[in-house]
Amino acid sequence: MSVLFGILIVSFAVWGIADIFKGSTQTTLATVGNTDIPLEQFRSAYTDKLQQISRQIRRPLTPTQGRAFGIDRQLLQQTIAETALDEEGRRMGLRMSDAEIVRTISSDPTFAGPNGKFDPARFAMAMRDYSYTEQRYIAEQRRLTLRRELIGSIVAGVEPTKTQIEAISRFQDEQRTIDYAKIGPDQAGTIEAPSPDALNTYFEAHKAQFRAPEYRKVVYLTLSPDELAKKVVVSDDDARKVYDSRRADYVKPDRREVQQIAFQSEDAAKAARAKIAGGMSFEDLAKDMKLTSGDMNLGLVSEKSLGDPIIAKAAFALPLNEVSQPVKGALATVLLKVTKIEPGSTEAFEKVAPAIKKEIAEQRVRTDFDKMRNAVEDERSGGASIAEAAQKSGLEATTVDVDRSGRTPDGKEAALPKGVDLITAAFGSDVGVDNDPLTFPGGEVWVDVLGITPCATARSTRSRIRSPPAGATSRSPRACAPRPKNWSRRSTKAACSRPR
């Protein structure tokens, strides 16, 4: 443990975190022990982290926003800690076995198919969607699993101090009595309506609060296997064929909640069973042997999941709530008790049909996706607009007016594609600019700016000050952000003159 912490604090140098994003000539971000952390590796990890957070919050997060939230510093600390653990693992000569890595990946519910078991096709699709190779993912899982084992060995058996326990207890159990008074409109009394002069004076002093933001009329086209799969019709007969070919996968075996008490010898097990026959309960026997529930509970298990076939056969032949006779297993002689029986079942076709049809549809469109993408690119190269390219390719483009917060003029959140920063792309472009497609895991988005409605200050009227017009919200002056470098007043006027 002391060696590990020594690695964390000794022989450790870091370049300035701000230099990472300013085109630094350095190629190494940090050195931990004998391991260098390449600058490009950290930049790539930072981009992946922002995309991950963007998918979680369903809003794009720019690198600048990420730095403002301190995500870069948090990721740097995490990267250094992980590198230190890897260094310690190499020093100790530790390595995770291939069998353990296979077990870890196979049991990950992310890659489970409709039957709840590992699905190679779903695994391959996930690797493609997240731009991973199988070798890279396995290597990362190997490092991650080893780090968990190292951390577990450090913290295992560590008991909190009395002071820590008392502090946590105070935090969780402390109660306070609060006296409060609720003040509403009735307590405010009668408020006279402000005069026109008062309204005008207030408006002139707070114009920025009544400024309507800049809007961009944007057309975009989303292409992804998921979107294409929604249009594919899979018949019940096709789904039934897949169901019948995998029928064994949809069979849920009998499961039982089994308790077990192990003995060092068969004679000790027989003596314990005699006590039960004399009236002692299974639970009292466990207490008498100073066993906890964790020592005796095997959980809700299937017959195949129990490691010892002899014990498994005896457990699944035992009636509910009865204690077995001594069972001599491969490693010990045990007494068994079944406290719950969950009969097996077969999932009906009607229940799993939607998942099977979705899987079939995704398989069918995998080859179509590249053809459709090339078709759109060919149309765009020939001068077609996004709407024209979509129509010729049998797809549907979407046009929407949005501000920098992703809201439409009526104040509602625009229905924009997830996992891609379309807003930044739209406000960083201009009318008539041919933009490169935006990529996200599993697909692409083409986007063009059709028009620009610049910021405008609402007129000074009594009704608008009382209730701001549609699209005008209480904002700071920063709502009207600087124009992109290639913006010109002529292009704005031309855009605004077009019908909306």
Side-chain angles (χ1 to χ4, degrees), residues 294-316:
D295 296 328
M296 53 191 291
N297 286 336
L298 301 182
L300 191 62
V301 295
S302 64
E303 186 170 356
K304 287 186 178 180
S305 66
L306 285 173
D308 191 318
I310 298 175
I311 293 177
K313 184 177 180 180
F316 276 77

Side-chain angles (χ1 to χ4, degrees), residues 6 33 40 57 96 103 110 134 195 202 300 314-315 332 337 376 406 410 432 450 461 464:
E40 284 304 318
I57 65 177
M96 300 306 298
R103 187 198 67 78
T110 305
E134 180 177 333
S195 66
Y202 182 86
L300 191 62
K337 181 180 180 181
V376 173
D410 59 3
L450 301 181
T461 64
R464 289 186 177 182

Side-chain angles (χ1 to χ4, degrees), residues 70-394:
I71 296 174
D72 55 339
R73 294 179 292 279
Q74 296 173 13
L75 181 61
L76 176 60
Q77 294 173 357
Q78 176 185 335
T79 303
I80 291 170
E82 290 174 347
T83 305
L85 289 169
D86 294 343
E87 182 94 351
E88 177 68 0
R90 284 191 293 271
R91 188 192 69 80
M92 298 175 66
L94 301 178
R95 185 179 182 275
M96 300 306 298
S97 67
D98 293 340
E100 177 63 18
I101 297 303
V102 170
R103 187 198 67 78
T104 300
I105 297 176
S106 300
S107 60
D108 191 335
T110 305
F111 309 128
N115 60 351
K117 297 181 179 180
F118 178 77
D119 185 352
R122 190 174 293 273
F123 175 78
M125 183 181 296
M127 294 301 100
R128 183 175 61 255
D129 288 348
Y130 288 90
S131 302
Y132 265 72
T133 64
E134 180 177 333
Q135 292 77 12
R136 176 189 170 192
Y137 183 77
I138 292 175
E140 288 197 4
Q141 287 301 305
R142 193 184 300 277
R143 289 192 294 269
L144 179 61
T145 306
L146 182 56
R147 291 168 191 158
R148 288 173 178 166
E149 293 292 334
L150 280 171
I151 293 173
S153 66
I154 293 172
V155 302
V158 176
E159 296 291 338
T161 65
K162 182 179 179 181
T163 303
Q164 290 174 324
I165 294 175
E166 290 176 350
I168 293 174
S169 178
R170 286 196 302 269
F171 177 77
Q172 293 179 337
D173 301 331
E174 183 179 80
Q175 296 182 353
R176 296 192 178 189
T177 302
I178 302 174
D179 293 329
Y180 67 93
K182 186 176 180 180
I183 300 176
D186 294 339
Q187 285 72 36
T190 302
I191 301 176
E192 296 182 0
S195 66
D197 290 340
L199 289 176
N200 290 334
T201 301
Y202 182 86
F203 177 78
E204 292 297 330
H206 301 84
K207 277 187 177 181
Q209 296 181 10
F210 301 96
R211 180 172 293 167
E214 175 181 316
Y215 286 96
R216 296 277 172 122
K217 183 181 287 292
V218 177
V219 59
Y220 66 88
L221 170 62
T222 304
L223 181 63
S224 69
D226 287 342
E227 291 296 323
L228 294 177
K230 293 177 182 177
K231 300 179 181 180
V232 175
V233 178
V234 179
S235 66
D236 286 343
D237 290 340
D238 289 343
R240 174 72 71 174
K241 291 177 182 178
V242 174
Y243 176 79
D244 291 339
S245 67
R246 302 179 185 170
R247 186 175 291 273
D249 294 339
Y250 302 109
V251 175
K252 186 178 180 181
D254 294 345
R255 296 197 300 173
R256 294 189 169 203
E257 202 164 80
V258 180
Q259 294 180 335
Q260 168 187 286
I261 298 178
F263 299 88
Q264 295 181 349
S265 67
E266 188 174 356
D267 291 339
K270 289 180 179 179
R273 185 64 181 82
K275 292 181 180 180
I276 291 177
M280 177 179 281
S281 69
F282 192 79
E283 292 72 21
D284 288 341
L285 175 62
K287 291 180 182 178
D288 191 48
M289 297 176 64
K290 302 188 183 315
L291 299 177
T292 65
S293 59
D295 296 328
M296 53 191 291
N297 286 336
L298 301 182
L300 191 62
V301 295
S302 64
E303 186 170 356
K304 287 186 178 180
S305 66
L306 285 173
D308 191 318
I310 298 175
I311 293 177
K313 184 177 180 180
F316 276 77
L318 193 63
L320 184 66
N321 292 324
E322 287 193 15
V323 179
S324 70
Q325 294 297 323
V327 179
K328 189 175 182 180
L331 300 177
T333 301
V334 301
L335 294 181
L336 301 169
K337 181 180 180 181
V338 175
T339 58
K340 180 181 178 181
I341 297 177
E342 189 178 276
S345 62
T346 300
E347 289 186 280
F349 169 74
E350 291 74 18
K351 182 178 179 181
V352 298
I356 294 177
K357 289 182 178 181
K358 182 176 183 294
E359 181 181 349
I360 295 174
E362 289 175 349
Q363 291 174 349
R364 290 178 179 176
V365 302
R366 283 172 191 166
T367 55
D368 295 338
F369 174 76
D370 290 333
K371 294 180 181 178
M372 297 287 283
R373 179 191 178 281
N374 293 335
V376 173
E377 281 294 304
D378 289 343
E379 293 294 336
R380 293 283 285 161
S381 299
S385 66
I386 287 180
E388 292 169 341
Q391 184 178 9
K392 292 180 181 180
S393 304

